[in-house]
Amino acid sequence: MSTTANLTCILCPMSCNLELVLDGNRVVQVSGNSCKLGPAYAEKEFINPTRVLTTTVKIEGARVSRLPVKTDGEIPKSILFDCMRELSEVKMKAPVKNGEIILKNVAGTGVNVVATRSLT
Amino acid sequence: MAAAVAAKRSGVKRVLILERDHDLGGILPQCIHDGFGTFVMKERLTGPEYAERYKAMTAESGVECLLNTTVLEIGHDRSILAVNPSQGLLEIKAQAVILAMGCRERTRFQILIPGTRPAGVFTAGAVQRLVNIEGFLPGHRAVILGSGDIGLIMARRLKLEGVEVVGVFEIMPQPNGLTRNVVQCLQDFQIPLFLEHTITMIHGKKRVEGVTVSRVDRERKPIPGSQRFVACDTVVLSVGLIPENELSEKAGIVIDQSTGGPMVDEQMETSVPGIFGCGNVINVYDLVDYVAYTGETAGKGAARFITGQLPGRNPVQVTTGPGVRLVVPQQITPLRVTETVNLYQRVEEAGSNVRIVVKNGDEVIASRRERAVKPPEMVTVKIPPEKLKSISEGQVIQVEVETKGGPV
């Protein structure tokens, strides 16, 4: 039996309201999108939602006390807090360059965490 | 930085940025979330990354900078009085000035929340700075008032850092921030959003102990009997931004009441010749890319002004018609137009399947169809330069929202 679900597409500020027709765990049809990225987003968001995590880690020897970082790829939404826990253990020392790897393979995702600011 | 780089690239010999902070980038270094630059850079960057891209361009183009420098006064004659710890008082005579002071957050005292005055009431931007730069959490259990973008982003940020976020309370019937932030910051983290609710009292002696929240009616007045107590030790305010124009007002620049910033023309020139403005000091934009675009326009305009390539002003007014709350620029001098003019506007209310039309009398000179419009999300309409050629003095350009059945 088919059911429906609604999702707001967040790929751009258009924020299209996507309507999904589902068959069990499968997305059969998507409507409401205004560009071709919509259906792929809906399918991914329904089956395996992922996010880029942005947060900060401790840094010493810089003018400020936090270094902003991000995952350099998307990670499953369900493990954001596991990543936060791992990153709370990280302590960096200045200088750090924007793009430098801060933590490899965070929470076993295969995704690295990189610095998003150069601090000296 | 966008304005400085554009001015320099357009042939201005010396361009100087006066920056109050110890680093360039304004608020961007503390905006660690991503989503910046989807238009200009064609990728999703974090705030610090976006700032670094522009810092690199600034350095490369040969723009000079004075950091830790506060501007005290800007004269009608484009003279600048500034101060910094290493040089003391500085007097600078500029051929053109570009205002780029950004905006400020509204505070508790601008929205008049009754109650005691305990510690623990912050603006969202102050919380952002504490958490992302200084490394402190503001409290353990937070209530967020207002659903502006920074409030939504800080709701998620605090939740990720282990703070209990009780909810976001918004006085209006719809959220005030971008939809993607409502989805990514609240729905993703099961943070409740209470629409048509506001804080009617703050409680606590030394530290916030809680707030009284009430439902509001259509006139945004609290409904008697709807109040309830919510325990918290932190109140985060995300209740609007105001262009920062203390310097502009002292310089005698005309301020537009609808944007709260200087009235500008298509070159981003203010009412005072040779003083330009860009970004949030002119109007609070919702995307950093719009800020950068207006900077580019101002930089190019200032360069033309300095080199004597900018014809005198003979402006046509751009006015807001039905359904439009504000528009930037507010004036266009057709004779000075060499490139496409971007009109930025905010609609009065949400609508779907609308057409934003720009008219000169009955003639439509530009339009844009939108599946959906919302007040928090600006709409831009591009006017091709040839459409402006035939417009003469005394005529008016009007922007309006057309729904299928005609104007709103």
Side-chain angles (χ1 to χ4, degrees), chain A residues 8 10 13-15 32-34 51-56 63-66 68 70 74 77 80-81 84 98 116-118, chain B residues 22-23 29 32-34 44 46 48-49 52 131-135 157 159-161 179-180 183-184 188-189 371 377:
Chain A
T8 310
I10 54 169
M14 283 286 291
S15 314
N33 52 303
S34 46
R51 296 288 183 267
V52 167
L53 174 67
T54 64
T55 181
T56 64
R63 192 190 265 271
V64 298
S65 33
R66 305 297 295 189
K70 70 172 183 184
E74 301 210 331
K77 193 167 100 174
L80 290 176
F81 282 97
M84 288 297 291
N98 181 13
T116 57
R117 185 181 185 182
S118 299
Chain B
H22 60 77
D23 198 1
I32 62 157
H33 54 280
D34 77 339
R44 277 167 51 192
T46 65
E49 290 173 306
E52 292 219 1
V131 177
N132 294 346
I133 305 271
E134 324 254 350
R157 187 76 191 107
K159 183 95 175 192
L160 275 170
E161 290 292 351
T179 312
R180 68 168 152 152
V183 173
Q184 278 184 322
D188 270 14
F189 294 90
R371 293 172 67 97
E377 306 189 12

Tab-separated table of all heavy atoms in Angstrom, chain A residues 8 10 13-15 32-34 51-56 63-66 68 70 74 77 80-81 84 98 116-118, chain B residues 22-23 29 32-34 44 46 48-49 52 131-135 157 159-161 179-180 183-184 188-189 371 377:
chain	number	residue	atom	x	y	z
A	8	THR	N	10.474	19.398	3.351
A	8	THR	CA	10.859	20.691	2.800
A	8	THR	C	12.258	20.556	2.235
A	8	THR	O	13.178	20.182	2.958
A	8	THR	CB	10.828	21.770	3.892
A	8	THR	OG1	9.573	21.683	4.568
A	8	THR	CG2	10.984	23.156	3.297
A	10	ILE	N	15.822	21.616	1.274
A	10	ILE	CA	16.659	22.679	1.844
A	10	ILE	C	17.903	22.919	0.996
A	10	ILE	O	18.869	23.518	1.456
A	10	ILE	CB	17.066	22.347	3.293
A	10	ILE	CG1	17.715	20.973	3.342
A	10	ILE	CG2	15.860	22.424	4.208
A	10	ILE	CD1	18.380	20.695	4.673
A	13	PRO	N	17.360	28.400	-1.182
A	13	PRO	CA	16.368	29.186	-0.439
A	13	PRO	C	14.930	29.056	-0.966
A	13	PRO	O	14.001	29.532	-0.322
A	13	PRO	CB	16.860	30.634	-0.600
A	13	PRO	CG	18.295	30.518	-0.956
A	13	PRO	CD	18.419	29.259	-1.739
A	14	MET	N	14.741	28.416	-2.103
A	14	MET	CA	13.385	28.203	-2.603
A	14	MET	C	12.525	27.426	-1.614
A	14	MET	O	11.318	27.613	-1.545
A	14	MET	CB	13.415	27.418	-3.922
A	14	MET	CG	13.815	28.229	-5.133
A	14	MET	SD	12.519	29.336	-5.694
A	14	MET	CE	11.329	28.161	-6.320
A	15	SER	N	13.154	26.511	-0.866
A	15	SER	CA	12.466	25.709	0.147
A	15	SER	C	11.208	25.040	-0.388
A	15	SER	O	10.127	25.203	0.162
A	15	SER	CB	12.072	26.565	1.351
A	15	SER	OG	13.117	27.366	1.759
A	32	GLY	N	6.228	18.606	-6.443
A	32	GLY	CA	6.372	19.862	-5.711
A	32	GLY	C	7.738	20.486	-5.874
A	32	GLY	O	7.985	21.618	-5.441
A	33	ASN	N	8.662	19.766	-6.521
A	33	ASN	CA	10.014	20.303	-6.717
A	33	ASN	C	10.012	21.277	-7.894
A	33	ASN	O	9.260	21.110	-8.847
A	33	ASN	CB	10.998	19.169	-6.988
A	33	ASN	CG	10.537	18.257	-8.107
A	33	ASN	OD1	9.442	17.698	-8.029
A	33	ASN	ND2	11.352	18.130	-9.140
A	34	SER	N	10.891	22.301	-7.804
A	34	SER	CA	10.957	23.231	-8.932
A	34	SER	C	12.259	23.079	-9.706
A	34	SER	O	12.505	23.795	-10.660
A	34	SER	CB	10.757	24.668	-8.474
A	34	SER	OG	11.525	24.930	-7.350
A	51	ARG	N	24.082	15.157	6.871
A	51	ARG	CA	24.343	16.573	7.130
A	51	ARG	C	25.840	16.829	7.162
A	51	ARG	O	26.607	15.946	7.522
A	51	ARG	CB	23.778	16.990	8.498
A	51	ARG	CG	22.271	16.906	8.649
A	51	ARG	CD	21.561	17.981	7.871
A	51	ARG	NE	20.129	17.929	8.068
A	51	ARG	CZ	19.283	17.269	7.277
A	51	ARG	NH1	19.740	16.591	6.243
A	51	ARG	NH2	17.990	17.286	7.513
A	52	VAL	N	26.209	18.067	6.873
A	52	VAL	CA	27.563	18.524	7.181
A	52	VAL	C	27.498	19.038	8.613
A	52	VAL	O	26.603	19.818	8.949
A	52	VAL	CB	27.999	19.655	6.214
A	52	VAL	CG1	29.257	20.344	6.716
A	52	VAL	CG2	28.228	19.095	4.814
A	53	LEU	N	28.396	18.559	9.461
A	53	LEU	CA	28.429	19.041	10.845
A	53	LEU	C	29.427	20.187	10.940
A	53	LEU	O	30.577	20.051	10.515
A	53	LEU	CB	28.842	17.909	11.797
A	53	LEU	CG	29.053	18.325	13.257
A	53	LEU	CD1	27.740	18.751	13.919
A	53	LEU	CD2	29.708	17.204	14.062
A	54	THR	N	28.978	21.313	11.464
A	54	THR	CA	29.912	22.407	11.740
A	54	THR	C	29.909	22.643	13.241
A	54	THR	O	28.850	22.701	13.857
A	54	THR	CB	29.531	23.716	11.016
A	54	THR	OG1	28.275	24.176	11.514
A	54	THR	CG2	29.443	23.529	9.515
A	55	THR	N	31.096	22.743	13.815
A	55	THR	CA	31.199	22.993	15.252
A	55	THR	C	32.572	23.620	15.516
A	55	THR	O	33.206	24.122	14.579
A	55	THR	CB	30.968	21.691	16.056
A	55	THR	OG1	31.054	21.966	17.448
A	55	THR	CG2	31.954	20.601	15.691
A	56	THR	N	33.002	23.602	16.764
A	56	THR	CA	34.327	24.151	17.071
A	56	THR	C	35.092	23.163	17.938
A	56	THR	O	34.495	22.288	18.566
A	56	THR	CB	34.239	25.488	17.851
A	56	THR	OG1	33.621	25.247	19.122
A	56	THR	CG2	33.453	26.546	17.086
A	63	ARG	N	44.647	33.812	19.270
A	63	ARG	CA	44.010	34.970	19.867
A	63	ARG	C	42.602	34.627	20.388
A	63	ARG	O	42.075	35.270	21.287
A	63	ARG	CB	43.902	36.044	18.793
A	63	ARG	CG	43.532	37.400	19.286
A	63	ARG	CD	43.230	38.256	18.072
A	63	ARG	NE	44.395	39.018	17.660
A	63	ARG	CZ	44.670	40.232	18.138
A	63	ARG	NH1	43.902	40.781	19.033
A	63	ARG	NH2	45.720	40.894	17.695
A	64	VAL	N	41.986	33.597	19.791
A	64	VAL	CA	40.663	33.165	20.236
A	64	VAL	C	40.780	31.746	20.786
A	64	VAL	O	41.771	31.069	20.552
A	64	VAL	CB	39.637	33.214	19.072
A	64	VAL	CG1	39.475	34.628	18.553
A	64	VAL	CG2	40.042	32.290	17.949
A	65	SER	N	39.746	31.275	21.533
A	65	SER	CA	39.901	29.968	22.157
A	65	SER	C	39.189	28.821	21.449
A	65	SER	O	39.279	27.688	21.890
A	65	SER	CB	39.499	30.024	23.632
A	65	SER	OG	38.485	30.941	23.832
A	66	ARG	N	38.456	29.108	20.374
A	66	ARG	CA	37.815	28.031	19.611
A	66	ARG	C	38.208	28.103	18.135
A	66	ARG	O	38.268	29.186	17.548
A	66	ARG	CB	36.286	28.110	19.704
A	66	ARG	CG	35.713	28.131	21.100
A	66	ARG	CD	35.973	26.905	21.920
A	66	ARG	NE	35.357	25.678	21.436
A	66	ARG	CZ	35.341	24.540	22.117
A	66	ARG	NH1	35.892	24.467	23.329
A	66	ARG	NH2	34.795	23.460	21.613
A	68	PRO	N	36.934	26.956	14.473
A	68	PRO	CA	35.774	26.394	13.778
A	68	PRO	C	36.193	25.249	12.843
A	68	PRO	O	37.235	25.328	12.201
A	68	PRO	CB	35.217	27.585	12.982
A	68	PRO	CG	36.362	28.508	12.799
A	68	PRO	CD	37.269	28.310	13.990
A	70	LYS	N	34.561	21.700	10.288
A	70	LYS	CA	33.402	21.059	9.668
A	70	LYS	C	33.794	19.679	9.170
A	70	LYS	O	34.984	19.401	8.992
A	70	LYS	CB	32.884	21.913	8.509
A	70	LYS	CG	33.807	21.942	7.295
A	70	LYS	CD	33.152	22.650	6.109
A	70	LYS	CE	34.057	22.615	4.890
A	70	LYS	NZ	33.503	23.378	3.746
A	74	GLU	N	29.263	14.899	3.922
A	74	GLU	CA	28.065	14.722	4.746
A	74	GLU	C	28.166	13.429	5.543
A	74	GLU	O	28.755	12.453	5.100
A	74	GLU	CB	26.832	14.714	3.847
A	74	GLU	CG	26.702	16.007	3.057
A	74	GLU	CD	25.271	16.372	2.737
A	74	GLU	OE1	24.442	15.457	2.606
A	74	GLU	OE2	24.995	17.585	2.628
A	77	LYS	N	22.759	11.828	9.698
A	77	LYS	CA	22.164	12.730	10.686
A	77	LYS	C	22.126	12.089	12.070
A	77	LYS	O	22.277	12.758	13.081
A	77	LYS	CB	20.746	13.071	10.210
A	77	LYS	CG	20.098	14.212	10.924
A	77	LYS	CD	18.861	14.659	10.185
A	77	LYS	CE	17.614	14.096	10.829
A	77	LYS	NZ	16.389	14.631	10.213
A	80	LEU	N	25.314	12.661	14.560
A	80	LEU	CA	25.881	13.994	14.810
A	80	LEU	C	26.422	14.102	16.238
A	80	LEU	O	27.512	14.647	16.470
A	80	LEU	CB	24.823	15.077	14.565
A	80	LEU	CG	24.395	15.302	13.105
A	80	LEU	CD1	23.269	16.326	13.040
A	80	LEU	CD2	25.573	15.748	12.256
A	81	PHE	N	25.659	13.556	17.198
A	81	PHE	CA	26.084	13.693	18.592
A	81	PHE	C	27.305	12.823	18.912
A	81	PHE	O	28.114	13.182	19.765
A	81	PHE	CB	24.915	13.420	19.555
A	81	PHE	CG	23.978	14.597	19.651
A	81	PHE	CD1	22.815	14.640	18.892
A	81	PHE	CD2	24.265	15.676	20.471
A	81	PHE	CE1	21.959	15.737	18.963
A	81	PHE	CE2	23.420	16.777	20.551
A	81	PHE	CZ	22.267	16.811	19.789
A	84	MET	N	30.123	14.925	17.861
A	84	MET	CA	30.345	16.003	18.836
A	84	MET	C	31.166	15.479	20.015
A	84	MET	O	32.081	16.147	20.490
A	84	MET	CB	29.006	16.560	19.350
A	84	MET	CG	28.237	17.387	18.347
A	84	MET	SD	29.080	18.898	17.818
A	84	MET	CE	29.020	19.899	19.309
A	98	ASN	N	43.416	26.936	7.500
A	98	ASN	CA	42.100	26.645	6.946
A	98	ASN	C	42.212	25.423	6.028
A	98	ASN	O	43.079	25.379	5.171
A	98	ASN	CB	41.638	27.888	6.156
A	98	ASN	CG	40.265	27.709	5.545
A	98	ASN	OD1	39.531	26.778	5.871
A	98	ASN	ND2	39.905	28.617	4.654
A	116	THR	N	38.100	25.366	9.446
A	116	THR	CA	37.496	26.293	8.490
A	116	THR	C	38.025	27.708	8.674
A	116	THR	O	37.499	28.666	8.122
A	116	THR	CB	35.948	26.303	8.616
A	116	THR	OG1	35.595	26.633	9.959
A	116	THR	CG2	35.358	24.958	8.248
A	117	ARG	N	39.072	27.836	9.481
A	117	ARG	CA	39.657	29.163	9.683
A	117	ARG	C	41.149	28.993	9.940
A	117	ARG	O	41.541	28.016	10.582
A	117	ARG	CB	38.993	29.829	10.898
A	117	ARG	CG	39.419	31.259	11.145
A	117	ARG	CD	38.743	31.856	12.372
A	117	ARG	NE	39.097	33.264	12.501
A	117	ARG	CZ	38.704	34.043	13.493
A	117	ARG	NH1	37.932	33.569	14.459
A	117	ARG	NH2	39.062	35.309	13.548
A	118	SER	N	41.948	29.907	9.436
A	118	SER	CA	43.373	29.892	9.767
A	118	SER	C	43.557	30.702	11.036
A	118	SER	O	43.078	31.829	11.129
A	118	SER	CB	44.188	30.527	8.636
A	118	SER	OG	44.013	29.811	7.443
B	22	HIS	N	39.955	43.172	15.272
B	22	HIS	CA	41.359	42.856	15.017
B	22	HIS	C	41.538	41.983	13.780
B	22	HIS	O	42.646	41.566	13.444
B	22	HIS	CB	41.990	42.187	16.244
B	22	HIS	CG	41.333	40.904	16.636
B	22	HIS	ND1	41.539	39.730	15.976
B	22	HIS	CD2	40.431	40.630	17.608
B	22	HIS	CE1	40.809	38.783	16.531
B	22	HIS	NE2	40.125	39.306	17.519
B	23	ASP	N	40.429	41.653	13.130
B	23	ASP	CA	40.476	40.792	11.950
B	23	ASP	C	39.405	41.293	10.980
B	23	ASP	O	38.431	41.901	11.397
B	23	ASP	CB	40.163	39.352	12.386
B	23	ASP	CG	40.609	38.320	11.355
B	23	ASP	OD1	41.178	38.709	10.309
B	23	ASP	OD2	40.386	37.120	11.610
B	29	PRO	N	33.355	35.408	10.927
B	29	PRO	CA	34.141	34.411	11.657
B	29	PRO	C	33.366	33.695	12.775
B	29	PRO	O	33.721	32.570	13.136
B	29	PRO	CB	35.307	35.225	12.227
B	29	PRO	CG	35.472	36.353	11.261
B	29	PRO	CD	34.067	36.701	10.830
B	32	ILE	N	29.806	30.012	12.181
B	32	ILE	CA	30.565	28.820	11.771
B	32	ILE	C	29.742	27.826	10.966
B	32	ILE	O	30.275	26.862	10.433
B	32	ILE	CB	31.164	28.111	13.003
B	32	ILE	CG1	30.022	27.630	13.916
B	32	ILE	CG2	32.109	29.031	13.768
B	32	ILE	CD1	30.425	26.499	14.818
B	33	HIS	N	28.426	28.049	10.881
B	33	HIS	CA	27.556	27.140	10.118
B	33	HIS	C	27.820	27.288	8.623
B	33	HIS	O	28.416	28.269	8.188
B	33	HIS	CB	26.089	27.434	10.432
B	33	HIS	CG	25.705	28.873	10.238
B	33	HIS	ND1	25.988	29.842	11.176
B	33	HIS	CD2	25.095	29.513	9.226
B	33	HIS	CE1	25.554	31.000	10.737
B	33	HIS	NE2	25.005	30.835	9.549
B	34	ASP	N	27.356	26.326	7.851
B	34	ASP	CA	27.594	26.421	6.414
B	34	ASP	C	26.349	26.889	5.675
B	34	ASP	O	25.304	27.105	6.275
B	34	ASP	CB	28.161	25.116	5.840
B	34	ASP	CG	27.083	24.060	5.677
B	34	ASP	OD1	26.034	24.167	6.339
B	34	ASP	OD2	27.293	23.131	4.900
B	44	ARG	N	28.862	25.563	-0.884
B	44	ARG	CA	28.375	25.890	0.450
B	44	ARG	C	29.551	26.050	1.394
B	44	ARG	O	30.228	25.076	1.716
B	44	ARG	CB	27.460	24.771	0.950
B	44	ARG	CG	26.041	24.897	0.439
B	44	ARG	CD	25.265	23.637	0.691
B	44	ARG	NE	25.363	23.211	2.095
B	44	ARG	CZ	24.960	22.021	2.525
B	44	ARG	NH1	24.450	21.161	1.684
B	44	ARG	NH2	25.061	21.707	3.789
B	46	THR	N	31.327	27.781	5.071
B	46	THR	CA	31.007	28.306	6.395
B	46	THR	C	31.374	29.797	6.402
B	46	THR	O	32.106	30.255	5.515
B	46	THR	CB	31.804	27.577	7.495
B	46	THR	OG1	33.195	27.866	7.308
B	46	THR	CG2	31.580	26.069	7.444
B	48	PRO	N	33.474	31.542	8.385
B	48	PRO	CA	34.915	31.823	8.392
B	48	PRO	C	35.575	31.545	7.030
B	48	PRO	O	36.464	32.293	6.611
B	48	PRO	CB	35.467	30.881	9.467
B	48	PRO	CG	34.309	30.474	10.292
B	48	PRO	CD	33.072	30.639	9.466
B	49	GLU	N	35.126	30.497	6.350
B	49	GLU	CA	35.699	30.187	5.033
B	49	GLU	C	35.366	31.282	4.020
B	49	GLU	O	36.208	31.689	3.221
B	49	GLU	CB	35.161	28.843	4.513
B	49	GLU	CG	35.677	27.646	5.273
B	49	GLU	CD	34.988	26.369	4.843
B	49	GLU	OE1	33.738	26.305	4.856
B	49	GLU	OE2	35.695	25.413	4.498
B	52	GLU	N	37.528	34.140	4.649
B	52	GLU	CA	38.916	33.911	4.211
B	52	GLU	C	39.075	34.058	2.704
B	52	GLU	O	40.095	34.537	2.227
B	52	GLU	CB	39.420	32.558	4.711
B	52	GLU	CG	39.562	32.564	6.231
B	52	GLU	CD	40.787	31.812	6.754
B	52	GLU	OE1	41.566	31.281	5.945
B	52	GLU	OE2	40.946	31.774	7.985
B	131	VAL	N	29.927	31.192	22.343
B	131	VAL	CA	30.084	29.761	22.087
B	131	VAL	C	31.171	29.500	21.040
B	131	VAL	O	32.034	28.649	21.237
B	131	VAL	CB	28.743	29.145	21.623
B	131	VAL	CG1	28.909	27.668	21.269
B	131	VAL	CG2	27.688	29.301	22.716
B	132	ASN	N	31.136	30.231	19.941
B	132	ASN	CA	31.978	29.879	18.788
B	132	ASN	C	33.365	30.508	18.791
B	132	ASN	O	34.254	30.041	18.100
B	132	ASN	CB	31.278	30.278	17.487
B	132	ASN	CG	30.020	29.464	17.250
B	132	ASN	OD1	29.811	28.444	17.897
B	132	ASN	ND2	29.184	29.916	16.342
B	133	ILE	N	33.537	31.591	19.536
B	133	ILE	CA	34.834	32.277	19.528
B	133	ILE	C	35.501	32.164	20.899
B	133	ILE	O	36.657	31.807	21.015
B	133	ILE	CB	34.665	33.776	19.165
B	133	ILE	CG1	33.932	33.919	17.823
B	133	ILE	CG2	35.996	34.513	19.204
B	133	ILE	CD1	34.775	33.936	16.592
B	134	GLU	N	34.712	32.485	21.945
B	134	GLU	CA	35.299	32.546	23.281
B	134	GLU	C	35.300	31.191	23.986
B	134	GLU	O	36.061	30.981	24.922
B	134	GLU	CB	34.543	33.555	24.159
B	134	GLU	CG	34.060	34.788	23.416
B	134	GLU	CD	34.874	36.029	23.718
B	134	GLU	OE1	35.688	35.962	24.633
B	134	GLU	OE2	34.675	37.034	23.030
B	135	GLY	N	34.402	30.297	23.556
B	135	GLY	CA	34.388	28.966	24.154
B	135	GLY	C	33.664	28.863	25.482
B	135	GLY	O	34.080	28.094	26.348
B	157	ARG	N	22.875	25.071	17.588
B	157	ARG	CA	24.245	25.118	18.117
B	157	ARG	C	24.264	24.774	19.603
B	157	ARG	O	25.105	24.012	20.069
B	157	ARG	CB	24.795	26.525	17.868
B	157	ARG	CG	26.230	26.708	18.186
B	157	ARG	CD	27.144	26.111	17.136
B	157	ARG	NE	28.507	26.090	17.635
B	157	ARG	CZ	29.156	25.002	18.023
B	157	ARG	NH1	28.586	23.819	17.932
B	157	ARG	NH2	30.372	25.073	18.499
B	159	LYS	N	21.953	23.141	21.290
B	159	LYS	CA	21.541	21.750	21.451
B	159	LYS	C	22.731	20.811	21.198
B	159	LYS	O	22.979	19.892	21.976
B	159	LYS	CB	20.406	21.451	20.461
B	159	LYS	CG	19.848	20.074	20.569
B	159	LYS	CD	18.629	20.039	21.465
B	159	LYS	CE	18.027	18.641	21.444
B	159	LYS	NZ	16.718	18.614	22.055
B	160	LEU	N	23.490	21.074	20.141
B	160	LEU	CA	24.660	20.242	19.831
B	160	LEU	C	25.687	20.287	20.960
B	160	LEU	O	26.379	19.313	21.223
B	160	LEU	CB	25.331	20.727	18.539
B	160	LEU	CG	24.787	20.204	17.216
B	160	LEU	CD1	25.415	20.971	16.051
B	160	LEU	CD2	25.041	18.711	17.054
B	161	GLU	N	25.779	21.423	21.621
B	161	GLU	CA	26.759	21.578	22.702
B	161	GLU	C	26.214	21.101	24.048
B	161	GLU	O	26.836	21.310	25.078
B	161	GLU	CB	27.222	23.039	22.809
B	161	GLU	CG	28.091	23.495	21.640
B	161	GLU	CD	29.471	22.829	21.592
B	161	GLU	OE1	29.840	22.133	22.551
B	161	GLU	OE2	30.179	23.010	20.582
B	179	THR	N	13.324	29.177	5.605
B	179	THR	CA	12.707	27.867	5.810
B	179	THR	C	13.755	26.780	6.046
B	179	THR	O	13.578	25.903	6.878
B	179	THR	CB	11.853	27.495	4.593
B	179	THR	OG1	11.040	28.612	4.289
B	179	THR	CG2	10.993	26.297	4.865
B	180	ARG	N	14.855	26.874	5.294
B	180	ARG	CA	15.856	25.816	5.469
B	180	ARG	C	16.419	25.802	6.892
B	180	ARG	O	16.813	24.764	7.407
B	180	ARG	CB	16.970	25.940	4.434
B	180	ARG	CG	17.834	27.141	4.620
B	180	ARG	CD	19.066	27.045	3.751
B	180	ARG	NE	19.518	28.388	3.436
B	180	ARG	CZ	20.774	28.697	3.186
B	180	ARG	NH1	21.689	27.774	3.189
B	180	ARG	NH2	21.107	29.926	2.913
B	183	VAL	N	13.912	23.981	9.116
B	183	VAL	CA	14.011	22.535	8.914
B	183	VAL	C	15.288	21.988	9.556
B	183	VAL	O	15.253	21.058	10.356
B	183	VAL	CB	14.002	22.206	7.401
B	183	VAL	CG1	14.272	20.725	7.168
B	183	VAL	CG2	12.669	22.609	6.782
B	184	GLN	N	16.426	22.605	9.202
B	184	GLN	CA	17.707	22.036	9.616
B	184	GLN	C	18.036	22.281	11.076
B	184	GLN	O	18.776	21.518	11.670
B	184	GLN	CB	18.842	22.645	8.792
B	184	GLN	CG	19.024	21.998	7.454
B	184	GLN	CD	20.220	22.597	6.745
B	184	GLN	OE1	20.470	23.793	6.837
B	184	GLN	NE2	20.959	21.776	6.041
B	188	ASP	N	15.199	19.030	12.667
B	188	ASP	CA	16.248	18.013	12.801
B	188	ASP	C	16.528	17.659	14.258
B	188	ASP	O	16.940	16.550	14.558
B	188	ASP	CB	17.576	18.547	12.211
B	188	ASP	CG	17.727	18.221	10.741
B	188	ASP	OD1	16.731	17.823	10.120
B	188	ASP	OD2	18.850	18.377	10.214
B	189	PHE	N	16.359	18.606	15.152
B	189	PHE	CA	16.735	18.399	16.544
B	189	PHE	C	15.536	18.364	17.484
B	189	PHE	O	15.685	18.483	18.690
B	189	PHE	CB	17.746	19.473	16.982
B	189	PHE	CG	19.056	19.347	16.265
B	189	PHE	CD1	19.281	20.014	15.070
B	189	PHE	CD2	20.046	18.517	16.753
B	189	PHE	CE1	20.487	19.871	14.389
B	189	PHE	CE2	21.257	18.367	16.083
B	189	PHE	CZ	21.475	19.039	14.891
B	371	ARG	N	7.229	30.746	-7.461
B	371	ARG	CA	6.251	29.757	-6.980
B	371	ARG	C	5.784	30.126	-5.582
B	371	ARG	O	4.639	29.919	-5.224
B	371	ARG	CB	6.884	28.372	-6.940
B	371	ARG	CG	7.219	27.802	-8.287
B	371	ARG	CD	8.006	26.528	-8.106
B	371	ARG	NE	7.179	25.494	-7.509
B	371	ARG	CZ	6.559	24.559	-8.230
B	371	ARG	NH1	6.695	24.548	-9.524
B	371	ARG	NH2	5.826	23.642	-7.638
B	377	GLU	N	12.338	36.052	2.980
B	377	GLU	CA	13.225	35.709	1.880
B	377	GLU	C	13.103	36.753	0.769
B	377	GLU	O	12.077	36.890	0.132
B	377	GLU	CB	12.908	34.288	1.400
B	377	GLU	CG	12.963	33.329	2.593
B	377	GLU	CD	12.880	31.845	2.287
B	377	GLU	OE1	13.005	31.470	1.115
B	377	GLU	OE2	12.700	31.081	3.236
